[in-house]
Amino acid sequence: MSTWLLVANASRARLFATQPRPRTLTLLEEFSHPQSRDKNEDLSSDRPGHFQTTSQGMDGANRGAFAEPTNPKDYEHERFAAELAEHLNEGRTSNRYDNLMLVASPHFLGLLNQQLNEHVAKLATVHVSKDYTALDEAALVKKLDPLA
């Protein structure tokens, strides 16, 4: 039985294969999304949001709605979560793991869970809302060993 461990935040992630006893971690892949660290001004264009005309009222005047701009940082966080979810799905379809442990900063864990398809979500048996991306493998083992 193979378990994958994803340790992530909105700009960085590491994927490990784990062995049970003694608990060991083998780094499979590292991911980086530097756009998540950029300032909003660096991510967005100078263009304002746009106004969409949707219909005409009974008086002949056009009716519409202002399209609310998306926060560029939120957009980048969601893009990174989707990228990681896709990678986890590819691993699942290749039968590379049977169980999944997700460890991520609280907000990013929520985004990641939203992006997981139902098959990957069923394999995610452990969810930890902590940002452990700065920890080395030995420290990760100490933090996570009691959970698995």
Side-chain angles (χ1 to χ4, degrees):
M1 180 167 357
S2 168
T3 299
W4 273 10
L5 164 65
L6 181 71
V7 180
N9 63 25
S11 63
R12 178 178 180 226
R14 291 180 293 163
L15 181 63
F16 298 94
T18 70
Q19 299 301 318
R21 298 284 176 222
R23 170 81 57 204
T24 57
L25 301 177
T26 304
L27 182 64
L28 299 175
E29 195 160 353
E30 291 188 72
F31 303 87
S32 178
H33 194 75
Q35 296 91 334
S36 292
R37 282 178 273 181
D38 288 346
K39 294 179 181 176
N40 278 341
E41 305 85 56
D42 296 335
L43 292 170
S44 62
S45 70
D46 291 338
R47 294 180 13 211
H50 59 283
F51 188 83
Q52 293 180 329
T53 302
T54 55
S55 65
Q56 271 193 346
M58 291 172 61
D59 59 0
N62 286 331
R63 305 279 186 243
F66 183 76
E68 189 66 36
T70 302
N71 180 321
K73 278 188 97 77
D74 290 344
Y75 174 75
E76 290 301 330
H77 295 173
E78 290 171 13
R79 274 188 47 197
F80 190 45
E83 177 187 332
L84 293 173
E86 179 59 30
H87 192 79
L88 293 172
N89 190 50
E90 289 170 6
R92 180 197 64 82
T93 58
S94 302
N95 295 316
R96 295 185 56 207
Y97 66 95
D98 303 309
N99 292 308
L100 177 63
M101 298 173 66
L102 298 174
V103 179
S105 56
H107 178 72
F108 193 70
L109 182 60
L111 293 175
L112 190 56
N113 282 324
Q114 289 175 359
Q115 296 293 330
L116 297 178
N117 69 35
E118 65 181 283
H119 304 291
V120 175
K122 287 179 185 176
L123 298 177
T125 56
V126 175
H127 299 258
V128 179
S129 295
K130 299 279 185 181
D131 187 352
Y132 288 158
T133 55
L135 298 180
D136 63 18
E137 282 92 351
L140 272 173
V141 168
K142 284 183 183 177
K143 293 278 189 186
L144 301 175
D145 203 32
L147 301 175

